[in-house]
């Protein structure tokens, strides 16, 4: 399957992307490379390959959920670059 210039324009329109007229040819070539790669992947025999449920089959080690005393505000605020009124101080982002 090959992509033509009109298909590139249509895909760009549907995906709300602006593709300049001088970039259409390069975009068409990129699309065609991607489709060629997908066709190569489709040729791979995967009949005896089970689908992955997870990347690793090892169970996660769980730790006990223990309640701690808390009250370690000073220790936590030692990690802060700046603190005010016993809270982390961050730069103002809204005027």
């Amino acid at each position: 399957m090959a992509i033509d210039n009109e298909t590139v324009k249509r895909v760009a329109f549907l995906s709300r992307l602006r593709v300049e007229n001088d970039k259409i040819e390069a975009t068409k070539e990129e699309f065609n490379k991607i489709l060629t790669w997908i066709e190569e992947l489709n040729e791979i025999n995967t009949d005896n390959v089970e689908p992955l449920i997870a990347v690793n089959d090892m169970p996660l080690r769980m730790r006990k959920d223990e309640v701690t005393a808390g009250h370690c505000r000073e220790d936590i605020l030692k990690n802060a670059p700046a603190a005010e009124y016993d809270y982390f101080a961050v730069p103002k982002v809204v005027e």
Side-chain angles (χ1 to χ4, degrees):
M1 175 180 188
I3 300 289
D4 59 350
N5 290 348
E6 291 305 314
T7 306
V8 170
K9 291 178 185 177
R10 176 112 172 106
V11 169
F13 173 76
L14 292 174
S15 58
R16 306 291 192 259
L17 295 174
R18 182 179 359 181
V19 178
E20 304 297 333
N21 287 335
D22 59 334
K23 302 282 185 183
I24 289 178
E25 192 66 32
T27 306
K28 178 180 82 168
E29 291 175 11
E30 287 295 318
F31 279 166
N32 285 324
K33 286 180 186 177
I34 292 169
L35 290 175
T36 302
W37 182 66
I38 291 173
E39 288 173 2
E40 288 177 17
L41 289 177
N42 284 334
E43 292 174 3
I44 297 173
N45 183 6
T46 58
D47 291 340
N48 296 325
V49 178
E50 293 185 30
L52 282 177
I53 296 173
V55 177
N56 56 357
D57 291 333
M58 298 178 359
L60 296 175
R61 288 185 279 162
M62 305 291 275
R63 63 172 172 81
K64 289 192 176 219
D65 189 14
E66 298 175 354
V67 177
T68 60
H71 306 296
C72 54
R73 181 178 297 153
E74 294 82 20
D75 293 334
I76 293 171
L77 288 176
K78 286 180 187 176
N79 295 320
E84 288 183 20
Y85 307 110
D86 292 332
Y87 293 101
F88 286 96
V90 296
K92 186 176 182 180
V93 294
V94 178
E95 296 293 326

